[in-house]
Amino acid sequence: MVKLKNWAQEQGCWYDDRSLFGEFIDRGSENEVYLSPNGMDIVKLNDFRYSDDNLTSFFERIKAHNKYFDACPYRMIGLAENRDGKICAVLVQPFIANARLATKEEIHEEFLRLGFRAEDDGAYYTNGQHDIFDAVDGNVLVDDEEHYFFIDTIIYGAGLGGLDTYNSLSPRAQYSNKENNNSTET
């Protein structure tokens, strides 16, 4: 990662000052989230948690996200260190105002409309090309005109071990697995 930082500094796309991103508002499993100073964008510092060592899968995830969810695309503007000192991609998405959290049923119907099917009892969706995880009510918004905004999903190439990777790295999946194990032990 030191080489990545050096490269970003040489290319002029390294950010030393996180205050440029605006107000810190949240921390998810892979992103620190900021509301931009203009209030029009969300800036995410993505720590590459769900990516392989050469970062190829990260860039493929961004490309796939923008293909399927073009109402809320990612734009990568550079690299920076997060609060934990990890090197991160700096991603920008539009801030979605006047939208509510989508329900599980609405998310399911939208995936069907997009040509995906539920797998593993709805744990993820696939279209045979990509598997999409973490499409839950906190990561999908819907506005009054029924436009869906997928703001924070995890995407892998289909059949490439995404389920195992997601289950091993996602706090949400680990919590769910722990809850399931506790309920079967009683």
Side-chain angles (χ1 to χ4, degrees), residues 64-152:
H65 172 91
N66 290 348
K67 173 184 172 182
Y68 298 122
F69 311 126
D70 62 353
C72 195
Y74 285 116
R75 184 171 43 95
M76 185 172 168
I77 62 170
L79 298 162
E81 286 183 0
N82 66 11
R83 292 174 170 210
D84 297 330
K86 292 182 179 178
I87 294 176
C88 298
V90 181
L91 303 172
V92 178
Q93 280 184 300
F95 175 70
I96 307 301
N98 302 318
R100 63 176 172 75
L101 299 177
T103 67
K104 184 176 180 175
E105 294 78 19
E106 288 173 322
I107 295 166
H108 177 77
E109 290 300 318
E110 182 63 6
F111 269 118
L112 293 179
R113 189 187 72 72
L114 292 171
F116 286 80
R117 68 183 181 279
E119 292 290 329
D120 198 23
D121 201 27
Y124 69 100
Y125 289 84
T126 189
N127 65 359
Q129 183 178 5
H130 290 102
D131 296 340
I132 301 180
F133 300 84
D134 218 18
V136 295
D137 58 7
N139 291 341
V140 183
L141 305 173
V142 61
D143 67 14
D144 292 339
E145 297 175 4
E146 298 295 316
H147 297 118
Y148 287 82
F149 303 94
F150 290 76
I151 60 172
D152 216 6

Side-chain angles (χ1 to χ4, degrees), residues 24-32 45 47 49 82 84:
F24 174 81
I25 56 173
D26 196 10
R27 168 71 196 173
S29 64
E30 69 174 338
N31 293 307
E32 280 184 4
L45 300 186
D47 66 11
R49 176 173 303 193
N82 66 11
D84 297 330

Side-chain angles (χ1 to χ4, degrees), residues 27-43:
R27 168 71 196 173
S29 64
E30 69 174 338
N31 293 307
E32 280 184 4
V33 182
Y34 297 80
L35 178 61
S36 69
N38 68 11
M40 301 295 293
D41 295 306
I42 294 294
V43 179

